[in-house]
Amino acid sequence: MAEENHYGYHIPDYSSTQSYYDTWESRIGYRVFLGGTRHFGYYEPDTLWPFPLSTGLRRMEDHLYESLGLPLGAEVLDAGCGAGHVALHLAHKGLRVQAIDITPNHARWAQQEVERQGMQDMVRAQWGDYHNLDFDDQSFDGVYTMETLVHSPDPAKAVSEIYRVLQPGGHVVFHEYDHPEVTKPPPDCPPALIRALIRVNFRSGMQGTQYFGRGALQQIMEDQGFVDITERDLTENIRPLMRLFYIIGFLPYLLICLLGLQKWFVNTEAAVQGYRAMARGYWRYIVLTARKPGTRRDDGEGAEGVKQRRRG
């Protein structure tokens, strides 16, 4: 059921997403394996030794920075910041980032990390919903998601809001997943495997994946008005990390299945079944870039500009 927040609009029910990130498995797993980040790393295809994992994580963030293609001092919206690692990495490269997240703990941890690093002039983190952004029209030079639209119950609405707050000529980058239609899986992808993935998506609050058949997100972007839409498939670049997770999770997953505990170990099931499905071509990791028509302005408002562009 939707609830009304203090801005007066109704927000979707994100309880499954928030519950997923608050489980002990997610908290420990993301911290131990990914240093607290919430995204995949970028590796050369066929890498067999992906360590240190932090190197691949930073490379993926560098890939995002290069895809945005914005000048130093540009104002960017991180639409789903997690604990703030990506926003801070981009800020250290010279971008000014307004970071939001629907999970209160994430927003709080992100702001604490911003303050710990003394980056308040470059990054501001707060609770926010990308379906109902609390910013004026044309507020940002760029907007990005790093594997967060998968949590959206209404991706078209989220993309519409992103388009609204983006300046003419502004750039958008989406790091997301896609897959064939559930009714048209690859021939060698067993129905049981597809059911397992649907189960993982449900338990991890990834409501948006049901909408992301091949080409669906690109069509949403085009319908909204974005131009120069490009796609890059990075599936082979995340495969080394997925393979590592599969190796680590395989034996524990057998025991989990034997005891019927799958719902308590969502990430373990995702590691094993996700890798199997990737190997069969069922899902991909893609990066979509696009531009809002028009010419980007350069008003020099800096960090204060983000704070002043909030809707009244």
Side-chain angles (χ1 to χ4, degrees):
M1 178 180 297
E3 60 179 304
E4 186 172 284
N5 74 350
H6 62 279
Y7 297 116
Y9 57 73
H10 291 277
I11 64 174
D13 182 3
Y14 285 105
S15 58
S16 61
T17 302
Q18 294 167 340
S19 296
Y20 162 71
Y21 282 114
D22 281 340
T23 63
W24 66 267
E25 190 205 24
S26 290
R27 290 197 182 198
I28 295 174
Y30 282 116
R31 172 58 60 184
V32 170
F33 292 107
L34 299 177
T37 63
R38 306 291 193 269
H39 65 80
F40 285 107
Y42 182 99
Y43 305 90
E44 292 303 316
D46 300 322
T47 296
L48 297 178
W49 184 257
F51 300 98
L53 298 184
S54 59
T55 299
L57 298 174
R58 301 295 84 78
R59 284 176 180 165
M60 186 65 83
E61 293 160 9
D62 288 341
H63 189 282
L64 167 63
Y65 173 78
E66 293 165 3
S67 297
L68 282 168
L70 296 171
L72 297 180
E75 296 180 19
V76 180
L77 176 65
D78 181 334
C81 65
H85 294 82
V86 179
L88 282 161
H89 187 75
L90 297 190
H92 283 295
K93 287 181 169 292
L95 299 182
R96 299 183 182 275
V97 186
Q98 171 66 64
I100 63 168
D101 201 280
I102 198 66
T103 302
N105 280 339
H106 285 175
R108 184 175 69 255
W109 296 337
Q111 185 59 31
Q112 289 172 349
E113 185 62 18
V114 169
E115 294 171 2
R116 188 188 72 81
Q117 295 190 24
M119 293 292 287
Q120 296 94 320
D121 289 341
M122 299 296 289
V123 184
R124 185 169 182 237
Q126 66 186 60
W127 182 94
D129 175 13
Y130 50 30
H131 299 92
N132 294 280
L133 292 169
D134 185 39
F135 302 103
D136 290 338
D137 297 353
Q138 304 180 15
S139 292
F140 298 98
D141 303 301
V143 182
Y144 67 87
T145 66
M146 182 65 87
E147 305 168 32
T148 59
L149 277 180
V150 292
H151 293 297
S152 169
D154 189 352
K157 171 62 175 172
V159 173
S160 173
E161 274 292 271
I162 288 170
Y163 187 90
R164 179 184 65 79
V165 301
L166 195 61
Q167 287 189 27
H171 297 174
V172 65
V173 180
F174 296 142
H175 282 236
E176 300 294 341
Y177 321 136
D178 76 354
H179 54 80
E181 297 295 336
V182 174
T183 57
K184 300 177 182 177
D188 61 344
C189 201
L193 180 55
I194 297 175
R195 289 196 297 271
L197 292 179
I198 293 173
R199 188 166 59 240
V200 166
N201 291 340
F202 173 76
R203 290 172 177 166
S204 59
M206 294 201 298
Q207 306 167 72
T209 54
Q210 63 184 308
Y211 303 107
F212 291 165
R214 295 281 160 83
L217 183 52
Q218 293 91 319
Q219 188 61 57
I220 290 173
M221 296 168 70
E222 184 178 335
D223 291 345
Q224 185 56 49
F226 283 107
V227 297
D228 299 336
I229 300 171
T230 64
E231 173 195 299
R232 184 174 180 189
D233 185 348
L234 298 188
T235 305
E236 292 305 312
N237 301 103
I238 72 164
R239 187 184 296 272
L241 188 57
M242 284 295 298
R243 184 189 301 116
L244 175 65
F245 289 161
Y246 174 80
I247 293 170
I248 293 172
F250 182 74
L251 291 179
Y253 183 61
L254 293 181
L255 179 60
I256 288 166
C257 291
L258 181 65
L259 299 176
L261 300 176
Q262 291 94 321
K263 76 174 184 177
W264 303 108
F265 294 89
V266 179
N267 295 306
T268 307
E269 182 167 37
V272 175
Q273 303 289 35
Y275 182 72
R276 287 172 171 168
M278 173 190 284
R280 290 169 169 80
Y282 182 70
W283 69 277
R284 304 184 303 165
Y285 187 102
I286 59 173
V287 177
L288 300 179
T289 62
R291 181 177 59 84
K292 184 174 180 177
T295 303
R296 191 180 67 85
R297 67 171 182 263
D298 184 10
D299 54 22
E301 288 182 355
E304 290 300 318
V306 173
K307 299 178 183 178
Q308 296 302 320
R309 289 174 179 172
R310 304 179 65 79
R311 290 191 291 185

